[in-house]
Amino acid sequence: ETGVTQSPTHLIKTRGQQVTLRCSSQSGHNTVSWYQQALGQGPQFIFQYYREEENGRGNFPPRFSGLQFPNYSSELNVNALELDDSALYLCASSWVVRTGGFNEQFFGPGTRLTVL
Amino acid sequence: DQQVKQNSPSLSVQEGRISILNCDYTNSMFDYFLWYKKYPAEGPTFLISISSIKDKNEDGRFTVFLNKSAKHLSLHIVPSQPGDSAVYFCAPPGTNAGKSTFGDGTTLTVKP
């Protein structure tokens, strides 16, 4: 069974640029969530995708957007990068039978984004 | 408004002793509470959960206690081992674990 993988591991961008981060869900999982973890803080929920549709969003502006593909891999896109976007970005996958169902989520190792 | 607070950024204990990590929350609608452990360069790993209908859940060396009236939960690790050294996050998800609200974490160091 393949775990959750993320690419790239590290990324450096400059302010104003756009970035795309990728996540491959654990085999058999249909839900992916993205989190932002700033230094010294806990992960903050960005949004979740369930069966290719957004299923909830945290307190993040619209320049944070995502996609989930039929094979349940996912992308996080951030436009007009700001210095405060520098953080570790984590994705987590889970199997949800219905929206709102409780199931354990499995995290990838994260992508470290630095915005200069 | 931080809904989950872990007021101790760090904790250091001796191997074999008890480690107690604390978490306070404000949202009484949380009905599941999860603890995650995170090693450097890895994503968080689910450790133990407790439902709001219980006040204790035990799994081996790990026990989580929930005090709903005080909106407080704690994680006990007995006996603590050096391999337990990690960052521990309290993360109530409601019913959807994928929408968790994380505390800022407590860094546990277990000294041999």
Side-chain angles (χ1 to χ4, degrees):
Chain A
E1 186 177 83
T2 306
V4 180
T5 60
Q6 293 185 244
S7 63
T9 305
H10 296 88
L11 199 54
I12 299 175
K13 291 285 189 177
T14 56
R15 193 169 47 182
Q17 284 189 311
Q18 179 267 342
V19 69
T20 297
L21 310 181
R22 294 178 174 82
C23 172
S24 290
S25 298
Q26 184 160 317
S27 177
H29 286 180
N30 61 3
T31 301
V32 65
S33 301
W34 285 91
Y35 294 85
Q36 179 195 67
Q37 185 179 9
L39 198 61
Q41 297 181 15
Q44 300 299 308
F45 174 67
I46 303 175
F47 44 58
Q48 181 186 76
Y49 279 80
Y50 169 71
R51 293 186 173 178
E52 302 175 54
E53 291 190 0
E54 189 176 292
N55 181 42
R57 187 179 185 94
N59 188 26
F60 281 81
R63 57 189 187 83
F64 285 79
S65 62
L67 284 172
Q68 186 185 31
F69 300 101
N71 65 356
Y72 300 128
S73 63
S74 175
E75 287 182 356
L76 165 65
N77 298 290
V78 187
N79 294 321
L81 283 168
E82 301 177 0
L83 297 179
D84 285 348
D85 295 334
S86 295
L88 179 69
Y89 288 85
L90 295 160
C91 80
S93 71
S94 58
W95 171 254
V96 177
V97 177
R98 54 176 171 79
T99 55
F102 173 72
N103 277 286
E104 181 183 344
Q105 62 180 339
F106 297 84
F107 283 86
T111 293
R112 172 73 60 187
L113 173 65
T114 302
V115 182
L116 302 176
Chain B
D1 178 32
Q2 196 169 14
Q3 297 190 62
V4 180
K5 288 187 178 180
Q6 295 177 253
N7 291 318
S8 298
S10 63
L11 175 67
S12 181
V13 300
Q14 208 64 37
E15 181 179 6
R17 305 294 292 270
I18 185 171
S19 296
I20 300 176
L21 296 91
N22 295 303
C23 176
D24 296 300
Y25 62 95
T26 58
N27 188 344
S28 59
M29 299 301 290
F30 289 139
D31 51 7
Y32 273 94
F33 299 86
L34 312 183
W35 284 92
Y36 287 86
K37 180 168 71 172
K38 185 180 186 300
Y39 293 116
E42 296 182 11
T45 303
F46 169 74
L47 181 61
I48 190 170
S49 68
I50 187 168
S51 165
S52 61
I53 63 173
K54 296 184 177 181
D55 54 17
K56 177 182 175 181
N57 186 30
E58 191 172 353
D59 183 2
R61 297 185 297 112
F62 302 90
T63 303
V64 57
F65 296 91
L66 175 62
N67 182 333
K68 289 187 290 293
S69 62
K71 295 183 181 175
H72 176 85
L73 64 158
S74 61
L75 173 68
H76 293 209
I77 306 173
V78 182
S80 301
Q81 300 174 353
D84 296 329
S85 297
V87 180
Y88 289 80
F89 293 101
C90 166
T95 54
N96 187 329
K99 298 179 181 178
S100 292
T101 302
F102 284 76
D104 285 341
T106 297
T107 301
L108 173 65
T109 303
V110 180
K111 297 179 179 179

